[in-house]
Amino acid sequence: MAERIATPFGFASTANDVIAGVDLTGKRAVITGGAAGIGLETARSLAAAGAEVVLGVRRVAAGEQAAADIAAGIGADRVTARELDLADQDSVRRFVAGWDQPLHILINNAGIMALPELERTAEGWEMQFATNFMGHFALTVGLHDALAAAGDARVVSVSSSGHLFSPVIFDDLHFAFRPYDPLLAYGQSKSAEALLAVEVTRRWSGEGIYSNALNPGAIATGLQKHTGGLKSPRELHKTPQQGAATSVLLAASPLLDGVGGRYFEDCTEAPVVTVRPADYTGVAAYAVDPSNAERLWSTASDLLVAGATKAGGTR
């Protein structure tokens, strides 16, 4: 068993703390959901370190305003916004088709949480699984060549302590049989995001592409609009800058060179747990299991093919 990775950073560290002294000049980064919350702070820190940053957003006007705000703050115009709706596979395909440069950093950050009623995409996929995982899976696979062209690329999956609510239920991904439960659906999608990092590393590390997943912590953002806000103790709450710290660490820190397939929280690799802890820390064994990761990749690949046919025939 590989030794757990620790860093000089911790719970209270900010994204700016983590990026201090790191030069990303000449690097390109894509951040999904980068117009608000921890995505915005992640983009701000990477851009301040010299990276060219593209915000993949559903609402382009909001993304353009966020890009302008970042540019004003750092005194440099190297952040742009492009339309990307992760629940719409056509939108994902358009984004991929429009990308024609090496890509050094892909941060799968956007997400939705605890939709109160069961919603499905055109493909028939449960909406949280479709948005949080399938959209990011299609994006990551679609940008593989751009990541490989960078020669040294990182893919970051923003998971959640919510993954501890549920593993990926392969026999009923989309609640065709189980009664729909908002948090179980969310948990499944976040377990899937963690598994994506495991399999990206296994498949692509030979091409210089490594991936890790993370729990950003408890940050008050629009993500909790269906849950009535944060439910965790106040002393565990983080600011968006603190919440972005682990994302930035995995995206840019030299401390993580050549490291992949792992799950971090509070800027440290999380312990693997086999029973859900009362404090919701650690990563469930099922969310970093290589056989689960390989099965999920195969299942998702099949879903993309079948989904394209179901949603629109010869789209």
Side-chain angles (χ1 to χ4, degrees):
M1 185 85 176
E3 184 176 346
R4 281 173 53 204
I5 295 173
T7 76
F9 308 104
F11 175 91
S13 298
T14 66
N16 289 339
D17 294 334
V18 170
I19 205 72
V22 177
D23 184 4
L24 297 180
T25 302
K27 306 282 190 179
R28 298 182 191 88
V30 167
I31 304 173
T32 67
I38 65 171
L40 176 61
E41 295 304 322
T42 300
R44 197 188 311 277
S45 292
L46 296 183
E52 297 177 26
V53 180
V54 174
L55 311 178
V57 294
R58 285 189 300 129
R59 295 181 291 274
V60 176
E64 290 175 340
Q65 183 59 60
D69 290 346
I70 293 171
I74 65 173
D77 186 13
R78 48 176 172 262
V79 184
T80 57
R82 298 187 191 181
E83 188 270 335
L84 176 63
D85 183 348
L86 292 165
D88 180 349
Q89 286 291 318
D90 283 338
S91 176
V92 176
R93 281 188 282 269
R94 287 194 297 272
F95 187 95
V96 168
W99 190 271
D100 60 359
Q101 303 176 88
L103 178 61
H104 304 83
I105 299 167
L106 171 60
I107 303 182
N108 293 325
N109 167 83
I112 57 176
M113 178 182 181
L115 300 185
E117 303 294 334
L118 175 60
E119 298 181 31
R120 300 187 186 280
T121 63
E123 295 85 358
W125 303 337
E126 186 276 317
M127 187 63 72
Q128 292 185 76
F129 188 80
T131 303
N132 298 346
F133 173 68
M134 287 300 299
H136 282 136
F137 175 76
L139 180 68
T140 302
V141 171
L143 292 173
H144 164 266
D145 290 352
L147 292 162
D152 180 17
R154 298 188 187 185
V155 179
V156 178
S157 283
V158 179
S159 183
S160 165
S161 61
H163 86 275
L164 294 162
F165 285 119
S166 177
V168 175
I169 307 299
F170 288 99
D171 290 328
D172 192 19
L173 292 171
H174 307 297
F175 292 84
F177 296 90
R178 294 178 288 160
Y180 175 72
D181 181 285
L183 287 179
L184 292 183
Y186 179 67
Q188 172 178 249
S189 73
K190 289 300 179 174
S191 289
E193 287 208 82
L195 290 170
L196 177 59
V198 174
E199 189 65 5
V200 163
T201 300
R202 187 186 76 82
R203 287 175 176 261
W204 298 348
S205 60
E207 299 173 88
I209 304 169
Y210 289 86
S211 182
N212 292 288
L214 70 122
N215 164 27
I219 307 101
T221 68
L223 184 67
Q224 299 93 23
K225 65 182 180 181
H226 296 302
T227 63
L230 293 177
K231 303 300 185 183
S232 52
R234 184 167 298 277
E235 63 270 19
L236 297 181
H237 294 184
K238 295 184 178 185
T239 66
Q241 255 285 316
Q242 291 171 325
T246 307
S247 291
V248 171
L249 178 84
L250 301 187
S253 174
L255 298 173
L256 275 298
D257 285 346
V259 172
R262 306 195 187 203
Y263 180 101
F264 289 73
E265 56 191 7
D266 296 337
C267 297
T268 298
E269 185 178 358
V272 177
V273 298
T274 55
V275 176
R276 186 169 68 214
D279 62 359
Y280 287 86
T281 59
V283 58
Y286 55 70
V288 288
D289 180 83
S291 61
N292 285 347
E294 187 173 6
R295 182 181 181 186
L296 180 61
W297 188 286
S298 177
T299 298
S301 298
D302 291 344
L303 281 173
L304 287 182
V305 174
T309 301
K310 184 172 182 178
T314 57
R315 294 191 308 182

